[in-house]
Amino acid sequence: MDIIEIAAHLIEEDTDQPRYQFDEAALQELMNSIDELGLLSPIKVRTTDGGRYKIIYGNRRYKACMKLGRKTIPCIVSNATDEMEIYLEQIAENLTREGFSPIEEAEAFHKLLHDPKFSSSVKFLSSKLGKPESYIKNKLELLQFSNAVKKLIVSGTEIRKDKLTEDQLLPLKDLPMEHRDPLALIVARDEMPVSDVKKIAKLFKDKELSASTKDKLLYKNGPALLETYFTIQHNRKEKEKEKAAEPKPKPAPRAAAEEARPADEGKQASSVDHAANSPSAPPPAEIALQRLAALVASAAPLDPAMIDSLRSSFQNEADRSAFLNELDNLLARLHSQVDDWTAMKQKLTAESAASTS
């Protein structure tokens, strides 16, 4: 493959190429290297009208040479004319280079799939680029996030403040946008590891939490969200233990059961309904209210002496912060219960209005 020196003023950048973000510090480092050692790797160009050339790959090296005022640039000249093959070659080359961001990669894949000029398929891209189909699909998922989130996405797996890796984002991709993007910004700000992001995503996928409760959780920071997740999981396990420890009712003796069985089973209600409707039993509505009332804790006001005792019990600011975080968790559960009760009341009121109309 021949390498020839081409006058720099005859070479044009390809503004339609996949890579468009260039880190200034990295560019300066490349300029220093070229100035000291020369351009060790030539750029690749193709011929265009008027004896000019357009870059296939090597835009960053071209920029460095132009800033250094180089008159000529070593080039490999290609005779390629197929736009699809040229674009695929540009992607393949950039995949081997540092600085090709996941978003640039995702946008390139999206273009190949949806631009009428290409109209490709994931299977075709996978075979041409030597990447699994899941790799391409995961990159495309990044485009679901807002521009504010996309600007923070970087290559690699290193967790950095106010930056996001692909691994940090993917657990959030299936959440609704109103939760997905704010959570991504929280994860970036608080440098949350991938394992913690997965737990936070699970918290926001929890069907037992109301939408309004999840909205309130967005005011928490990353560690507090993680604490909420563990608290909810702990409480559920405790409830399961309590339920498992409850004594099971002993079955009635067979003879007594036979005597208690109505002669005409087709016309007689179940034993539960019969007990609820007997003259000695409370009305069904009263039974339901008693069950609901049992769920409500004592509504006595807070004792000022207890509040003073709490203040004096904090050894340091860390104790106070831990207490406040736990208090937030309790309030979130109370809000959730209020939402559930309000929804029940609205439903019963609507049914009552419909039956009387």
Side-chain angles (χ1 to χ4, degrees):
M1 190 175 293
D2 294 334
I3 300 174
I4 62 174
E5 291 283 339
I6 297 177
H9 71 276
L10 295 176
I11 302 172
E12 299 174 0
E13 289 188 72
D14 184 356
T15 56
D16 202 33
Q17 65 130 6
R19 186 174 181 183
Y20 56 85
Q21 297 177 0
F22 298 98
D23 181 74
E24 286 299 323
L27 185 61
Q28 183 61 53
E29 186 177 336
L30 177 61
M31 289 171 59
N32 295 339
S33 173
I34 294 173
D35 193 36
E36 182 179 352
L37 304 173
L39 186 60
L40 301 178
S41 180
I43 68 174
K44 191 169 186 178
V45 299
R46 53 175 167 151
T47 57
T48 60
D49 296 337
R52 299 185 64 80
Y53 301 86
K54 181 174 284 188
I55 298 172
I56 294 178
Y57 60 74
N59 277 35
R60 195 167 69 98
R61 282 164 276 169
Y62 168 80
K63 287 178 180 291
C65 288
M66 293 301 288
K67 286 196 173 194
L68 288 169
R70 295 224 160 197
K71 301 299 182 183
T72 63
I73 301 174
C75 300
I76 298 170
V77 180
S78 171
N79 295 321
T81 57
D82 184 85
E83 293 293 333
M84 169 72 88
E85 291 301 322
I86 291 171
Y87 200 70
L88 285 171
E89 185 177 4
Q90 290 173 328
I91 294 175
E93 170 66 16
N94 279 305
L95 287 174
T96 67
R97 302 280 178 179
E98 292 184 7
F100 190 39
S101 77
I103 285 297
E104 288 175 318
E105 203 174 334
E107 289 173 344
F109 292 152
H110 185 272
K111 183 174 182 176
L112 285 168
L113 293 172
H114 300 285
D115 191 320
K117 183 169 61 176
F118 302 123
S119 298
S120 186
S121 68
V122 171
K123 186 174 183 179
F124 175 79
L125 295 182
S126 174
S127 65
K128 295 295 287 185
L129 296 171
K131 296 288 186 182
E133 291 184 27
S134 59
Y135 176 94
I136 296 170
K137 290 177 181 177
N138 283 340
K139 284 292 187 295
L140 292 169
E141 294 284 3
L142 301 178
L143 299 179
Q144 295 186 38
F145 292 88
S146 67
N147 288 333
V149 174
K150 290 177 186 176
K151 291 177 182 177
L152 305 181
I153 302 175
V154 293
S155 302
T157 58
E158 180 188 355
I159 306 298
R160 288 180 276 168
K161 185 170 177 58
D162 295 326
K163 298 294 180 184
L164 288 163
T165 68
E166 183 178 347
D167 290 341
Q168 282 177 296
L169 277 176
L170 287 179
L172 306 175
K173 67 182 177 65
D174 295 326
L175 296 175
M177 182 177 290
E178 60 268 23
H179 296 151
R180 181 181 65 215
D181 288 2
L183 282 175
L185 296 175
I186 292 172
V187 167
R189 182 194 64 204
D190 296 333
E191 303 175 73
M192 303 298 291
V194 177
S195 58
D196 289 351
V197 179
K198 289 179 179 178
K199 292 180 178 68
I200 291 172
K202 188 175 180 180
L203 175 67
F204 277 79
K205 291 177 182 178
D206 193 330
K207 294 181 179 179
E208 295 185 24
L209 295 182
S210 67
S212 60
T213 297
K214 292 174 182 176
D215 291 342
K216 294 182 182 76
L217 288 176
L218 293 175
Y219 291 101
K220 292 176 175 284
N221 60 21
L225 287 174
L226 195 62
E227 181 65 27
T228 301
Y229 166 81
F230 283 120
T231 300
I232 290 175
Q233 295 301 311
H234 172 76
N235 291 342
R236 285 178 179 165
K237 287 180 181 178
E238 290 300 311
K239 287 182 180 178
E240 289 174 2
K241 288 180 182 178
E242 291 175 6
K243 188 175 181 181
E246 289 178 0
K248 296 182 179 178
K250 295 181 179 180
R254 183 176 180 83
E258 290 295 334
E259 291 176 6
R261 182 178 296 171
D264 187 354
E265 293 184 1
K267 294 181 181 180
Q268 186 65 36
S270 69
S271 60
V272 175
D273 291 338
H274 178 70
N277 293 322
S278 66
S280 60
E286 185 176 337
I287 294 174
L289 284 172
Q290 289 173 357
R291 291 174 62 191
L292 290 174
L295 299 175
V296 182
S298 172
L302 290 174
D303 185 353
M306 183 178 71
I307 297 175
D308 290 336
S309 175
L310 275 174
R311 289 197 187 104
S312 62
S313 68
F314 299 134
Q315 299 294 324
N316 49 47
E317 192 57 33
D319 288 347
R320 186 189 301 274
S321 297
F323 174 81
L324 291 174
N325 280 339
E326 186 59 28
L327 192 58
D328 280 340
N329 294 334
L330 291 172
L331 288 171
R333 292 202 295 275
L334 285 173
H335 283 306
S336 177
Q337 192 173 29
V338 169
D339 291 339
D340 293 340
W341 283 47
T342 302
M344 176 184 68
K345 180 183 176 183
Q346 290 173 345
K347 183 177 180 180
L348 292 173
T349 302
E351 290 175 353
S352 178
S355 64
T356 57
S357 61

